[in-house]
Amino acid sequence: MLIQEGQVSLFHYINISFGVSFFFFLVGLIIYVMKSGFLDRTHDSFRKILRRKDEEETDFSDMMLSELVGIGYHAILFSALVVLATCLIALLFYYL
């Protein structure tokens, strides 16, 4: 898709890089919201409602959602912004 007739298409690079940066930016924002503690009470309530009486307690059963998420969001957001910047620079070259 990126290479047509033996040549690299700038138009397709712009489209693909925008989609990739949008995906990683969205993933980074979801991880940020989960790590910020915004969904801790919701996660705790669902866990209490859906827990079975005979279910065994584990080490993770009393942890909040923000403590369970161990992925850093800074690198994901930074890489998404770098790819978006290259997309915008390519867009400038495309229209000039």
Side-chain angles (χ1 to χ4, degrees):
M1 175 182 248
L2 187 60
I3 300 175
Q4 289 182 344
E5 301 171 7
Q7 297 178 357
V8 176
S9 172
L10 185 61
F11 178 72
H12 291 299
Y13 170 76
I14 293 168
N15 287 335
I16 291 171
S17 64
F18 180 77
V20 168
S21 68
F22 178 74
F23 173 75
F24 282 110
F25 191 71
L26 191 63
V27 168
L29 285 179
I30 289 171
I31 293 172
Y32 171 72
V33 168
M34 289 170 59
K35 283 187 76 80
S36 70
F38 185 74
L39 299 173
D40 281 347
R41 296 295 166 214
T42 306
H43 176 257
D44 189 45
S45 299
F46 273 113
R47 189 175 57 223
K48 286 179 182 177
I49 289 172
L50 299 176
R51 185 181 297 165
R52 296 183 194 144
K53 302 255 187 228
D54 58 343
E55 189 174 301
E56 183 178 316
E57 295 279 329
T58 63
D59 294 337
F60 302 113
S61 61
D62 292 333
M63 293 178 74
M64 293 293 188
L65 182 63
S66 59
E67 297 172 357
L68 290 174
V69 177
I71 301 172
Y73 60 90
H74 298 289
I76 296 172
L77 287 178
F78 180 73
S79 63
L81 290 177
V82 168
V83 173
L84 183 63
T86 60
C87 171
L88 293 176
I89 291 170
L91 191 64
L92 283 174
F93 282 119
Y94 182 75
Y95 281 112
L96 292 179

